Amino acid sequence: MTDDRAGAVPYADDADSPGVVRRPVTDADARWANRGWWDADADDYQAEHGTFLGDVDFVWCPEGLREADARLLGDVAGRRVLEVGAGAAAAARWLATQGARPVALDLSAGMLRHAATAAGRTGVRVPLVQADALALPFVDATFDTACTAFGAIPFVADSAAVMREVCRVLRPGGRWVFSVTHPMRWIFLDDPGQGGLTAVHSYFDRSPYVEQDTTGAATYVEQHRTLGDRVRELVTAGFRLVDLVEPEWPQGHEAIWGQWSPLRGRLFPGTAIFVAEKPAD
């Protein structure tokens, strides 16, 4: 699931954003920064968002859309499912209760530590793998389904390579579903209030959002791609786009998650969920 920063795009000259720039980064820089950040922030993240996400639940986005209701993955009973960027693996544990055979993969040891703790707490255990989404440690055609809720994709410089890796490990006919911050959110400041209703940035500026320390080293990196970019990444990797879901803000949902809020959510989308399939032979 997403960090509070997801979609945050203030520039370095914003008075309330010291150490924030928009600049290119390498995959190595992004990997080092985000692994370190998620390891350090894992406890605080779970303390703040763990109740919303649940121990055994599959929540696609801050809007609260659940896989139990949306069924974007289809029937998972008996299927091998890879959760990429699984975090504390609540979704993988939920999938296990639905008869799936899931594997939860994440780059962060800190998040996987919470996954192991939750497994002990709930009694629902799934295999946990620490690995990079750019180099999935599985042979070709291992899984029937792959998914992620805000995992991995926004945090790597070459997200097209993630699409290729997922396509590689999926069997023909396999489904790949992922949620990300809706690309149009990058037009706005990272503000859940009135300040977040005015367009201030170019939708077409794909420069990464980078938090850096006093030496200039990146400590957190997030990437922006347009809707068209995402479609091209999928198609070039060998997928067929089946659906693009833009969850509406539900009535009665008053929670604020970072830049997600009832005010903004009722006016424009905050999440995009891409549903794709690898063509059958």
Side-chain angles (χ1 to χ4, degrees):
M1 177 59 72
T2 178
D3 171 46
D4 294 344
R5 289 167 171 77
V9 288
Y11 286 98
D13 58 359
D14 285 351
D16 59 348
S17 302
V20 175
V21 296
R22 299 287 295 275
R23 65 172 175 83
V25 294
T26 65
D27 273 321
D29 288 338
R31 182 183 303 110
W32 183 89
N34 288 326
R35 179 175 177 174
W37 193 90
W38 283 104
D39 282 348
D41 192 63
D43 292 349
D44 289 342
Y45 180 87
Q46 285 302 118
E48 184 173 359
H49 301 302
T51 300
F52 180 83
L53 296 174
D55 275 341
V56 184
D57 202 357
F58 195 143
V59 184
W60 279 110
C61 51
E63 289 87 350
L65 182 68
R66 284 172 161 74
E67 176 60 15
D69 301 314
R71 296 295 178 181
L72 300 179
L73 301 180
D75 184 4
V76 297
R79 295 184 176 272
R80 295 203 67 187
V81 182
L82 175 64
E83 185 185 6
V84 181
R93 287 189 295 276
W94 180 85
L95 288 165
T97 68
Q98 305 303 300
R101 295 180 291 157
V103 174
L105 177 145
D106 202 277
L107 182 65
S108 168
M111 294 304 293
L112 290 175
R113 173 170 50 82
H114 280 279
T117 300
R121 185 167 58 243
T122 64
V124 182
R125 301 182 182 278
V126 301
L128 304 177
V129 177
Q130 184 178 11
D132 189 339
L134 291 167
L136 298 174
F138 309 106
V139 299
D140 297 357
T142 299
F143 296 95
D144 302 295
T145 307
C147 59
T148 185
F150 285 84
I153 295 168
F155 305 111
V156 299
D158 189 359
S159 51
V162 176
M163 305 298 174
R164 294 193 296 271
E165 273 293 274
V166 171
C167 193
R168 179 184 65 79
V169 302
L170 277 179
R171 295 177 179 137
R175 179 163 285 204
W176 166 225
V177 185
F178 63 91
S179 61
V180 292
T181 301
H182 198 290
M184 75 170 293
R185 284 288 175 107
W186 284 71
I187 300 170
F188 305 96
L189 293 177
D190 190 34
D191 184 343
Q194 290 289 335
L197 300 181
T198 302
V200 295
H201 300 312
S202 170
Y203 176 74
F204 303 103
D205 182 2
R206 297 166 176 85
S207 303
Y209 166 90
V210 181
E211 295 178 10
Q212 58 187 25
D213 61 22
T214 55
T215 71
T219 57
Y220 178 91
V221 177
E222 193 169 339
Q223 307 282 342
H224 167 53
R225 300 291 182 269
T226 68
L227 285 172
D229 292 337
R230 292 292 181 217
V231 172
R232 283 184 288 276
E233 287 179 347
L234 285 166
V235 172
T236 302
F239 287 105
R240 178 176 66 90
L241 183 64
V242 175
D243 199 1
L244 172 57
V245 180
E246 298 166 296
E248 296 186 34
W249 195 267
Q251 290 289 335
H253 182 24
E254 299 301 321
I256 293 176
W257 180 316
Q259 51 110 338
W260 279 265
S261 67
L263 174 65
R264 282 155 58 97
R266 290 167 185 153
L267 295 173
F268 48 86
T271 298
I273 308 176
F274 293 81
V275 183
E277 290 182 348
K278 180 177 180 177
D281 290 340

